[in-house]
Amino acid sequence: MTGAASTPTPQEFDRVLSSMCTEPHPAAREAAVAFLADNPGDPATYPAVADLEADAVDALGDVVGLSNPHGYVGSGGTEANIQAVRAARNLADGDVNVVAPESAHFSFQKAADVLDVELRLAPTDDDHRADVDAVAALADDDTALVAAVAGSTEYGRVDPIPALADVAGDADARLHVDAAWGGFVLPFTDHDWSFADAAVDTMTVDPHKMGRAPIPAGGFLARDSETLDALAVDTPYLESDAQPTLGGTRSGAGVAGTHAALDALWPDGYRDQYERAQANAEYLADELAARGYDVVDPVLPLVAADLPDDEFGALRDAGWRISTTSAGELRVVCMPHVTREMLDAFLADLTDVGNV
Ligand code: 0PR
């Protein structure tokens, strides 16, 4: 702790290039402040926020192609991924395993750990997508869940979801799609990724990433009510009698912020946001390639490029909030706060550090 004189201020976004968080929509910020003391985990005491949550889940259903969605707004992608594994485990018998591509987010490791299930990771193909044959080779009679990624953390890749649904079906397993980051951009692309495109059982889609809601706001959605039933525990001293969520007390700010963001932006605002972000990603990829760096093609608004360590370090020293993939590439996530001007300032600094 520093002395009493220093006033903490939040991070400004003008140099944040590798985060999956962004500035909330103004209406979402306002709604979050208004509902920050309401607890959606106790709907009988806080009915207004419970009503907002029901509407928000319906709106999330529109985003992910599901007309009668079951789910809730939780703490984020980690919780939703844990819940997907937990539901699959509870609906299966005996010791079970989960098969996922190596590109799956590390939250699946946490899920496997807390739920005591085996996590089998299949190699990805040359384009960083799940290799369907490799996933199929790891699935067996004890596989309860196949997990796929739609918008991967490191490269923004979309797994072949319909083919993985077939693999899950053949193994009599469930299919979960992690669209934590991709869920609010994929509706405006021609990828097959949603509940409408394949036999998807559950999905993660996070309002607090591309959805412009405040933190914490994660989405867990299921096709069937049985999924939520498989997660529910009795809550004898609350007015409501069962609770499927992992958290108990939950964020009214996250729920109200999600509702307000969806109300303001679905679908046209999110489409504009996606088009701007994708154009920025392609611009950055082209500029980096023109400077001679190896660039991974931005399928979604996320650019990875091979930068020497000293240049990466110099850019961090210059104040850029950047991080790398596990293979060491610079990773820039073109979130809504990332403007063309920011990218030009970043490229100018890159030119400077390259010339030292
Ligand atoms: N699934 C995917 C595909 C993700 O990318 C992430 C987070 C999660 C699940 C987990 O979501 P929560 O963090 O909401 O539980 N991926 C980001 C990452 O690991 C998280 C992040 C976000 C990290 C903002 C830094 C940051 O500034 O890169």
Side-chain angles (χ1 to χ4, degrees), residues 196-245:
D197 297 320
V200 177
D201 292 293
T202 51
M203 189 177 290
T204 297
V205 53
D206 279 355
H208 74 198
K209 296 190 172 71
M210 277 288 186
R212 304 284 307 281
I215 304 167
F220 175 69
L221 293 184
R223 190 185 288 275
D224 299 312
S225 59
E226 288 74 32
T227 302
L228 277 280
D229 294 344
L231 294 168
V233 298
D234 294 340
T235 53
Y237 61 87
L238 292 181
E239 281 299 308
S240 50
D241 48 9
Q243 195 176 77
T245 56

Side-chain angles (χ1 to χ4, degrees), residues 48-273:
V49 79
D51 288 348
L52 286 182
E53 182 168 30
D55 282 355
V57 168
D58 282 345
L60 284 171
D62 291 340
V63 175
V64 301
L66 186 59
S67 52
N68 185 21
H70 304 272
Y72 68 94
V73 177
S75 62
T78 300
E79 175 176 341
N81 287 341
I82 291 172
Q83 289 282 73
V85 175
R86 183 173 162 231
R89 186 201 64 174
N90 289 358
L91 287 164
D93 294 325
D95 286 341
V96 298
N97 64 68
V98 172
V99 182
E102 271 169 0
S103 51
H105 187 256
F106 54 72
S107 46
F108 287 98
Q109 310 267 8
K110 299 183 186 179
D113 190 22
V114 282
L115 296 166
D116 199 22
V117 303
E118 183 194 352
L119 178 62
R120 299 180 177 176
L121 293 178
T124 49
D125 66 16
D126 291 346
D127 192 34
H128 309 288
R129 304 166 81 214
D131 179 327
V132 176
D133 291 340
V135 171
L138 290 180
D140 61 19
D141 289 347
D142 295 329
T143 302
L145 183 74
V146 172
V149 196
S152 61
T153 310
E154 296 198 306
Y155 299 105
R157 289 312 193 245
V158 184
D159 287 339
I161 307 292
L164 291 170
D166 290 344
V167 172
D170 290 347
D172 208 12
R174 290 163 62 88
L175 180 73
H176 174 70
V177 173
D178 180 357
W181 176 73
F184 283 88
V185 298
L186 286 163
F188 313 109
T189 70
D190 56 12
H191 291 280
D192 286 333
W193 68 285
S194 76
F195 283 96
D197 297 320
V200 177
D201 292 293
T202 51
M203 189 177 290
T204 297
V205 53
D206 279 355
H208 74 198
K209 296 190 172 71
M210 277 288 186
R212 304 284 307 281
I215 304 167
F220 175 69
L221 293 184
R223 190 185 288 275
D224 299 312
S225 59
E226 288 74 32
T227 302
L228 277 280
D229 294 344
L231 294 168
V233 298
D234 294 340
T235 53
Y237 61 87
L238 292 181
E239 281 299 308
S240 50
D241 48 9
Q243 195 176 77
T245 56
L246 196 56
T249 303
R250 288 186 290 128
S251 172
V255 167
T258 296
H259 183 275
L262 281 157
D263 199 40
L265 294 170
W266 175 258
D268 295 343
Y270 288 124
R271 181 185 294 109
D272 291 350
Q273 177 178 287

Side-chain angles (χ1 to χ4, degrees), residues 307-333:
L307 230 63
D309 288 352
D310 56 333
E311 293 183 21
F312 181 88
L315 288 164
R316 273 211 64 102
D317 291 347
W320 293 101
R321 304 293 194 215
I322 46 176
S323 63
T324 58
T325 63
S326 48
E329 296 132 320
L330 163 75
R331 168 178 164 274
V332 172
V333 191

